[in-house]
Amino acid sequence: SQQGEEDPQALSIQEGENATMNCSYKTSINNLQWYRQNSGRGLVHLILIRSNEREKHSGRLRVTLDTSKKSSSLLITASRAADTASYFCATVLTGTASKLTFGTGTRLQVTL
Amino acid sequence: DTAVSQTPKYLVTQMGNDKSIKCEQNLGHDTMYWYKQDSKKFLKIMFSYNNKELIINETVPNRFSPKSPDKAHLNLHINSLELGDSAVYFCASSPGAGGAGTQYFGPGTRLLVL
């Protein structure tokens, strides 16, 4: 069964606005990662947050993790058309350090 | 100088055929993976190798056989292809012995079985 469920499934915003995507998971994790996939391309790693961390920043990206609620959010500030892509959360489960389990993805469309 | 490369990029074949997909990484990573992404964009791990040793083998039909001749290469051979095998197959790699850190993905191989 899938570990991560993402919300919303699709999001359409205008350039300059902020985009927030949420990820919920079911079992205890070692870390949670966010990846971006442009149409027809491979996945690109964005950010990794460990289970003992609550927030991380990277450029225009901000990720939060709430282990009590088993959820994470990815915020992209001041979005650009180039941010149009699918965004996936992926978890490394506690005790299974060898694999990522991906969520269902959020399709983000940024229009001019 | 591509980090993780896959060949071919596209593969169109008939049901029942046997095909192989190749993956190479020049990052010096110890661990490599095969993932399958279905038409709904759901991405699921199939196999993982660490230094040529199989460490993850998910519930995958035994028609799929991975082979790692060295730690920089992980190939995927598929026998008796079925319509349901149509998907995008991604190779990935990561440093160290496990997959807990960042993974680096190849561009994908789009397989269409007719």
Side-chain angles (χ1 to χ4, degrees):
Chain A
S1 64
Q2 291 164 220
Q3 163 72 337
E5 297 284 341
E6 293 182 60
D7 169 55
Q9 287 189 339
L11 179 60
S12 183
I13 59 173
Q14 290 194 315
E15 208 172 42
E17 293 180 336
N18 295 341
T20 299
M21 288 158 262
N22 302 296
C23 170
S24 60
Y25 56 91
K26 297 174 184 172
T27 56
S28 178
I29 62 170
N30 176 301
N31 68 64
L32 185 145
Q33 303 176 33
W34 286 90
Y35 286 79
R36 184 186 76 231
Q37 184 179 32
N38 289 85
S39 182
R41 310 289 283 272
L43 282 80
V44 175
H45 181 263
L46 296 175
I47 201 162
L48 181 155
I49 186 165
R50 292 186 166 74
S51 59
N52 61 353
E53 297 175 314
R54 292 297 166 258
E55 188 171 311
K56 279 190 91 166
H57 297 255
S58 176
R60 293 184 295 113
L61 305 181
R62 174 179 168 251
V63 167
T64 62
L65 178 65
D66 186 335
T67 52
S68 66
K69 294 182 180 176
K70 292 187 170 59
S71 68
S72 174
S73 68
L74 170 67
L75 168 68
I76 304 174
T77 59
S79 63
R80 305 167 182 168
D83 295 328
T84 295
S86 292
Y87 292 81
F88 293 88
C89 69
T91 52
V92 176
L93 306 185
T94 302
T96 63
S98 298
K99 69 176 186 179
L100 289 176
T101 303
F102 281 85
T104 51
T106 292
R107 170 75 185 155
L108 173 65
Q109 176 77 42
V110 182
T111 55
L112 296 170
Chain B
D1 58 349
T2 305
V4 182
S5 59
Q6 296 179 227
T7 54
K9 192 170 181 181
Y10 299 96
L11 189 51
V12 182
T13 188
Q14 299 287 331
M15 256 194 328
N17 284 350
D18 303 337
K19 290 293 178 186
S20 291
I21 307 172
K22 295 186 176 182
C23 178
E24 177 181 2
Q25 54 96 2
N26 62 6
L27 298 166
H29 289 169
D30 291 325
T31 308
M32 295 184 72
Y33 313 81
W34 278 111
Y35 288 86
K36 179 181 180 180
Q37 186 173 45
D38 63 23
S39 58
K40 295 183 179 177
K41 302 295 186 188
F42 179 56
L43 198 69
K44 187 168 168 34
I45 191 165
M46 301 171 69
F47 301 104
S48 174
Y49 271 74
N50 175 255
N51 268 320
K52 303 193 294 175
E53 266 194 61
L54 182 66
I55 56 172
I56 293 175
N57 185 350
E58 293 291 285
T59 309
V60 177
N62 58 15
R63 299 181 294 104
F64 290 79
S65 52
K67 282 190 172 51
S68 182
D70 56 60
K71 76 172 194 177
H73 295 84
L74 180 61
N75 304 323
L76 183 65
H77 188 75
I78 315 170
N79 288 326
S80 303
L81 278 155
E82 300 177 357
L83 295 176
D85 297 333
S86 295
V88 183
Y89 292 84
F90 287 100
C91 177
S93 70
S94 67
T102 300
Q103 294 189 18
Y104 297 78
F105 283 77
T109 294
R110 283 141 191 86
L111 172 65
L112 178 60
V113 182
L114 302 173

